[in-house]
Every structure is written in structure tokens, then in C-alpha cells.
Amino acid sequence: MTKFEEELKKLPIKIIEHSVGYTKYYNAANVKSLIAKADTEIEYLKSKLEPQALPVVPGYVAEWYEANKATLEYSIYSIHVDMSDLEDTELTDVQIWFDNRNNKSLETIFKMKDGYIIEKPKLFRLKLRNTADRNHYLWLNRATNRIFIDKKFLYWTNHGNVKNSFTEQEISEILDGAFVNNEAFELVPVEDGE
């Protein structure tokens, strides 16, 4: 028996007799008082709970969630069914994320209904090593997919089609991975706000 039910049993009961039998009822003022007391206790207990941190997810997971939140259970089921029919090399980023046990994907997805934070990808620059002027970096023109080496700070830094800061995934895609572990370049993390 709950505390509310115990308190309810303590309230005086009125009995009304009528032609069919009788009816027991509680005085409305007493019940309202008991409910108000319970509400106050609930608010107090809620204030003692520690706020739960919002889950941090990659942007592509946030996009998938927003597109599928109306049919979340079915969408999760579909992902797992699709994953069982595909080879590892055919999986999408979202499926790979779901498949990684460290992500606690089901728990994370259901916590996202209360809000979430989109993970900021770690960015790097590829700095040219062994040069007299150690301020030369790899740049990529995304429109032409051509690379060039130039100074780090130019007025068009990372605007439009030209950029020099990349995620690890993007580095692996430049010229089909030519700059992954390339000894001519040093991987330099980009600081926040830089």
C-alpha cells in the first residue's frame, strides 16, 4: 500500500443511504488537501534528483533521429533488420554507430527525446614538415578536388570551396587516403575558436 493510500484510509468516510443501497464517499476538501500534500512531496523529491546529462551524438545520428522520431521503434527495428542482411563494408554511418556497443545506442536514442547535444567533430590541419618556413599547410579546393600548399592564415580560410581543416574521415578521403600517415605532413589539432 502506498503512502497516499494509507493517508486516504485515515480520512473520514461519509455514507449516503438510498433506495438501492448506500454509497461511501470522502469529503472533497479532505481529498484535495491530501492531493496537494502529495504534489508538494513529489516536487520536493523531484528537486532532489540529479539532472541527467544530455546524450552527445554525432551529427548524422541527430539527423537520423529527427527524421525518424515519429516512428522510432519501427525505425530502430528496421536498422537492425537491414544490418543483418548487409556486409560490414555496406553499412551506413548510422548502422555502424548502432552496431558499436560502446555507444549504448538504444539507451542513447531513447534519452534523446529529452534533448541531445551534437558532437563537435575533432578537426586537424596537415602541416608540411621539414621546410624553412614551418607555416605551410595543405589546402583543398573542394569544387575541383585539387590540393595545394600555402600559408595557414589566408583571408578565405575555410570558407566556400577552399579549406585547410579536416576531420580524420575527410583526411582519409583526400586523394584516396594519400595523406593518412604521410611522413611529409604533421597532423595538427585545430584549437576551439581557431
Side-chain angles (χ1 to χ4, degrees):
M1 184 176 299
T2 67
K3 186 175 179 180
F4 181 79
E5 290 169 329
E6 289 174 7
E7 292 291 324
L8 192 59
K9 279 191 165 197
K10 293 178 187 176
L11 293 178
I13 297 176
K14 299 213 177 201
I15 299 175
I16 300 175
E17 290 187 34
H18 44 79
S19 59
V20 183
Y22 63 91
T23 303
K24 294 180 179 180
Y25 74 94
Y26 297 101
N27 182 324
N30 291 340
V31 174
K32 279 185 182 179
S33 169
L34 185 60
I35 290 171
K37 193 171 155 184
D39 286 344
T40 303
E41 189 169 340
I42 288 169
E43 287 306 313
Y44 170 75
L45 292 173
K46 279 184 181 178
S47 72
K48 293 296 180 190
L49 291 174
E50 289 185 28
Q52 297 295 314
L54 294 176
V56 178
V57 295
Y60 57 86
V61 172
E63 288 173 20
W64 177 89
Y65 175 79
E66 291 300 326
N68 293 286
K69 67 181 174 184
T71 58
L72 199 54
E73 289 85 1
Y74 176 76
S75 298
I76 292 170
Y77 169 76
S78 295
I79 282 211
H80 288 287
V81 168
D82 291 347
M83 284 171 39
S84 65
D85 294 338
L86 298 173
E87 298 293 322
D88 286 347
T89 56
E90 300 172 312
L91 297 178
T92 65
D93 288 340
V94 172
Q95 290 169 328
I96 292 168
W97 183 85
F98 264 95
D99 199 34
N100 184 340
R101 292 183 194 279
N102 294 333
N103 293 328
K104 297 180 181 175
S105 54
L106 292 178
E107 180 183 335
T108 301
I109 290 294
F110 285 107
K111 282 182 178 179
M112 287 174 71
K113 71 178 175 33
D114 296 327
Y116 55 89
I117 298 169
I118 296 176
E119 178 180 75
K120 228 176 160 183
K122 185 71 178 150
L123 297 175
F124 299 92
R125 288 197 173 91
L126 289 164
K127 184 176 184 179
L128 188 62
R129 292 183 185 190
N130 303 324
T131 59
D133 181 4
R134 297 214 5 103
N135 202 23
H136 282 79
Y137 292 80
L138 179 125
W139 289 81
L140 172 69
N141 183 326
R142 292 184 287 187
T144 63
N145 209 28
R146 299 187 88 171
I147 61 164
F148 59 98
I149 308 297
D150 211 331
K151 295 198 185 246
K152 176 179 167 184
F153 296 105
L154 298 172
Y155 70 92
W156 34 258
T157 302
N158 296 313
H159 292 285
N161 287 327
V162 181
K163 66 183 279 178
N164 79 337
S165 59
F166 312 96
T167 64
E168 289 186 77
Q169 176 69 32
E170 290 171 327
I171 291 171
S172 70
E173 293 169 359
I174 299 171
L175 297 179
D176 294 325
F179 295 96
V180 175
N181 299 323
N182 187 320
E183 292 186 18
F185 290 88
E186 172 184 355
L187 200 62
V188 179
V190 175
E191 301 299 323
D192 286 337
E194 186 179 348

